[in-house]
C-alpha cells in the first residue's frame, strides 16, 4: 500500500458551511417561526436576488434543475413534436428535461478541446421541426454567447441555457443564464450554489415565461384551486431558499477560489501535455467557475483513464468521471435511435475524461500533490 502524504477529497462541503452555519441556523429558525414553508417570503426574496445577480429580471424556484428545464422549455412555447438540440455529452437530466417537456432531443457532438456543444455540427442537425437549442455550460464554462446568439438568429431558434453547472459564470460580458430566452439552474448540494437537498430555478427576463413557470410549478394554477394547465407540484421549498439566500453573497468569492484552483492545475499540468494528459480548455479565463476540473487522459498516455483513476485513489486522491456514458448510449434512451459511432468526440471524451478534486478551499498543497502524482505517470 502506498502511504500518501495528503488526502484530497473530491469535494468538501464542510469548508463552505462551517463558517456560515450559525447564519444558516438562524435563517432556518426564522422560516420555522413564520411557518411559510411553501412559496414563502424567503423564496420570493431569493428568487429576486439570484435573478438580479445573474443579470435577468425574474427567478422562479422549482424542485430541481431537471424541472427547471422541463417546465422552462414548456413555458418558452416548446410543444410536443418540436425538436430541441442538445449536446450528447451532458448529464442525462438535460435530455430528460427536453423529453419531459414533450419535445424530441436531437443530440449533437462536442468540441473535443472544450467539451462544449459544437455549433457547426448543431447547424447540420437542424430540420424544419427544430425550435430550440439547449447549450450546456458544462463544467462551469459558458458556451460562447456571441456564437450562440449568431447561431440562434441565423436559424430562428430559441436559446434555453442549461446553466446547472455554471452559477455566475461569465463570458464575453454575459452572465450564465442571461443569453437566451430563459435558463435552468440546479441547486443540488454539490453545485457551486447548493441547497441542503434538491432545488432548482428558472430565470428569464420575459415576464410571460416567468409567470407560466410559476403556474406550471404550482399544479398549473395561476390562482388557488383554478387550474389552467396540468402542471405539476415543483416548488423550491422556502427552507431551501432560506439556506441558499445565506449562501448567495459568498458565491462570487467561492467561484473565484475555484477559478484560482483551476489556474494552479492548468499551470502545473502544462508539462503533462507531452505525456498525453491535457486539461479541458478554459476559453473564458476568469469567467470559468470550475464546477468541475476535468482532464483528458489521451491514447498517448502510458496508462488508461481507469488506471490513472486507480493510481490516484491509491495515493489518497478522489476523482470522478463526468460522465462515463454519453447520453445516446444510455439504455433508457435507445428509442431515440442513436448508436455507437454517432458522436465520436463525445464517445472518446467519455473514455478519457477524469475530474480532479475541485471545491472552494482546496489548498495549493493539495493541488500540488495531485499534480505531482500525475507527473509520475
Ligand atoms: C448539466 C446539468 N443539467 C441538469 C442537471 C439537473 O439538475 P438536478 O439534479 O437539480 O435535477 C444537472 C445536475 O444534476 C446538470 O449537471
Amino acid at each position: 500500500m502506498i502511504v500518501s502524504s495528503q488526502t484530497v477529497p473530491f469535494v468538501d462541503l464542510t469548508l463552505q458551511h462551517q463558517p456560515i452555519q450559525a447564519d444558516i441556523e438562524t435563517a432556518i429558525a426564522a422560516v420555522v417561526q413564520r411557518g411559510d414553508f411553501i412559496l414563502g417570503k424567503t423564496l420570493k426574496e431569493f428568487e429576486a436576488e439570484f435573478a438580479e445577480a445573474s443579470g435577468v429580471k425574474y427567478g422562479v424556484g422549482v424542485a430541481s434543475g431537471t424541472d427547471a428545464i422541463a417546465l422552462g422549455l414548456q413555458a418558452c412555447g416548446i410543444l410536443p413534436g418540436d425538436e430541441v438540440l442538445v449536446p450528447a455529452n451532458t448529464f442525462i437530466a438535460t435530455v430528460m428535461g427536453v423529453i419531459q417537456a414533450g419535445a424530441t432531443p436531437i443530440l449533437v457532438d462536442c468540441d473535443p478541446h472544450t467539451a462544449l456543444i459544437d455549433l457547426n455540427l448543431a447547424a447540420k442537425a437542424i430540420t424544419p421541426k427544430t425550435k430550440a437549442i439547449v447549450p450546456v455550460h458544462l463544467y462551469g464554462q459558458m458556451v460562447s454567447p456571441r456564437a450562440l446568439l449568431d447561431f440562434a438568429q441565423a436559424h430562428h431558434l430559441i436559446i434555453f441555457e442549461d446553466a446547472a453547472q455554471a452559477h455566475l459564470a461569465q463570458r464575453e460580458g454575459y452572465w450564465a443564464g442571461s443569453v437566451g430566452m430563459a435558463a435552468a439552474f440546479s441547486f443540488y448540494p454539490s453545485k457551486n450554489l447548493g441547497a441542503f437537498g434538491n432545488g432548482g430555478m428558472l430565470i428569464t427576463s420575459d415576464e410571460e415565461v416567468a409567470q407560466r413557470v410559476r403556474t406550471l410549478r404550482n399544479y398549473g394554477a395561476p390562482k388557488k384551486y383554478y387550474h389552467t394547465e396540468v402542471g405539476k407540484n415543483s416548488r423550491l421549498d422556502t427552507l431551501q431558499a432560506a439556506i441558499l439566500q445565506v449562501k448567495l453573497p459568498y458565491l462570487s468569492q467561492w467561484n473565484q477560489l475555484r477559478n484560482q484552483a483551476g489556474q494552479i492545475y492548468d499551470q502545473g499540468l502544462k508539462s503533462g501535455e507531452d505525456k498525453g494528459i491535457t486539461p479541458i480548455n478554459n476559453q473564458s479565463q476568469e469567467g470559468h467557475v470550475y464546477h468541475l476540473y476535468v482532464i483528458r487522459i489521451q491514447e498517448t498516455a502510458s496508462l488508461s483513464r481507469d488506471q490513472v483513476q486507480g493510481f490516484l485513489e491509491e495515493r489518497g486522491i478522489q476523482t470522478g468521471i463526468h460522465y462515463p456514458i454519453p447520453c445516446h448510449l444510455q439504455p433508457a434512451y435507445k428509442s431515440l435511435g442513436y448508436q455507437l459511432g454517432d458522436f465520436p468526440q463525445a464517445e472518446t471524451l467519455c473514455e478519457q475524461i477524469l475530474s480532479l478534486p475541485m471545491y472552494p478551499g482546496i489548498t495549493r498543497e493539495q493541488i500540488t500533490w495531485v499534480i505531482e502524482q500525475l507527473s509520475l505517470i
Side-chain angles (χ1 to χ4, degrees):
M1 204 190 110
I2 295 127
V3 182
S4 85
S5 68
Q6 292 264 0
T7 301
V8 192
F10 185 59
V11 283
D12 185 350
L13 297 179
T14 57
L15 284 179
Q16 52 174 267
H17 291 148
Q18 262 164 9
I20 55 172
Q21 192 169 329
D23 291 345
I24 291 176
E25 283 168 8
T26 306
I28 292 172
V31 177
V32 174
Q33 188 68 32
R34 281 196 309 274
D36 58 348
F37 299 109
I38 303 294
L39 299 178
K41 173 174 165 281
T42 35
L43 173 63
K44 290 186 190 85
E45 288 169 2
F46 174 64
E47 287 175 335
E49 288 161 13
F50 187 74
E52 191 188 355
S54 304
V56 303
K57 286 190 185 155
Y58 311 103
V60 186
V62 292
S64 68
T66 309
D67 278 1
I69 298 171
L71 302 181
L73 282 171
Q74 268 176 271
C76 288
I78 299 303
L79 296 168
D82 288 347
E83 291 181 354
V84 176
L85 302 166
V86 191
N89 62 320
T90 178
F91 180 56
I92 201 68
T94 317
V95 178
M96 215 168 92
V98 171
I99 293 173
Q100 287 178 0
T104 305
I106 302 296
L107 302 188
V108 177
D109 213 349
C110 61
D111 175 287
H113 305 292
T114 60
L116 299 173
I117 190 166
D118 182 328
L119 293 178
N120 293 322
L121 295 175
K124 293 187 183 142
I126 292 173
T127 75
K129 291 183 181 169
T130 312
K131 292 285 150 49
I133 179 166
V134 181
V136 179
H137 301 317
L138 198 67
Y139 307 147
Q141 166 155 243
M142 289 177 74
V143 178
S144 162
R146 262 187 253 126
L148 265 178
L149 289 164
D150 287 349
F151 172 85
Q153 202 177 17
H155 302 287
H156 310 289
L157 299 180
I158 291 169
I159 301 171
F160 183 96
E161 298 163 75
D162 181 342
Q165 303 188 358
H167 313 70
L168 299 194
Q170 273 183 293
R171 189 163 177 176
E172 299 157 7
Y174 289 86
W175 293 105
S178 71
V179 182
M181 188 171 193
F185 286 85
S186 165
F187 301 125
Y188 179 82
S190 61
K191 293 292 195 254
N192 290 34
L193 182 62
F196 286 5
N198 281 301
M201 193 177 286
L202 178 288
I203 69 168
T204 181
S205 286
D206 185 314
E207 194 176 353
E208 267 177 50
V209 171
Q211 190 48 46
R212 185 130 184 245
V213 178
R214 280 186 210 113
T215 300
L216 286 167
R217 73 170 173 183
N218 195 31
Y219 315 104
K223 59 181 183 186
K224 211 165 185 184
Y225 305 135
Y226 178 68
H227 306 273
T228 51
E229 314 210 43
V230 174
K232 69 190 293 190
N233 175 357
S234 177
R235 294 148 319 190
L236 177 63
D237 292 337
T238 309
L239 273 175
Q240 297 298 350
I243 293 160
L244 290 162
Q245 189 182 35
V246 173
K247 293 177 78 172
L248 181 59
Y250 299 91
L251 179 57
S252 298
Q253 186 188 320
W254 290 336
N255 281 343
Q256 264 173 33
L257 291 172
R258 288 175 181 273
N259 188 278
Q260 281 161 17
Q263 288 183 37
I264 300 171
Y265 270 127
D266 272 356
Q267 198 61 31
L269 289 169
K270 270 196 178 135
S271 57
E273 300 206 358
D274 42 351
K275 290 184 172 178
I277 298 179
T278 354
I280 293 294
N281 258 351
N282 175 1
Q283 296 184 344
S284 45
Q285 290 79 39
E286 276 72 34
H288 193 327
V289 296
Y290 284 104
H291 173 57
L292 295 165
Y293 185 88
V294 180
I295 57 170
R296 293 179 67 174
I297 315 295
Q298 312 216 59
E299 307 85 0
T300 49
S302 60
L303 299 181
S304 71
R305 186 270 313 278
D306 292 351
Q307 287 169 327
V308 172
Q309 186 169 38
F311 181 89
L312 293 177
E313 182 74 44
E314 283 173 5
R315 288 157 176 79
I317 298 165
Q318 288 177 0
T319 57
I321 300 170
H322 301 86
Y323 298 92
I325 304 173
C327 297
H328 65 291
L329 300 180
Q330 292 289 356
Y333 295 83
K334 253 198 181 121
S335 61
L336 293 178
Y338 296 108
Q339 54 193 9
L340 185 68
D342 282 347
F343 304 107
Q345 303 297 354
E347 289 166 16
T348 305
L349 274 181
C350 287
E351 286 166 13
Q352 297 187 343
I353 46 179
L354 189 65
S355 309
L356 301 181
M358 169 57 78
Y359 49 90
I362 188 170
T363 63
R364 184 178 281 276
E365 290 68 36
Q366 286 174 312
I367 298 173
T368 305
W369 170 248
V370 177
I371 293 165
E372 275 171 18
Q373 301 317 300
L374 281 168
S375 73
L376 301 175
I377 288 165

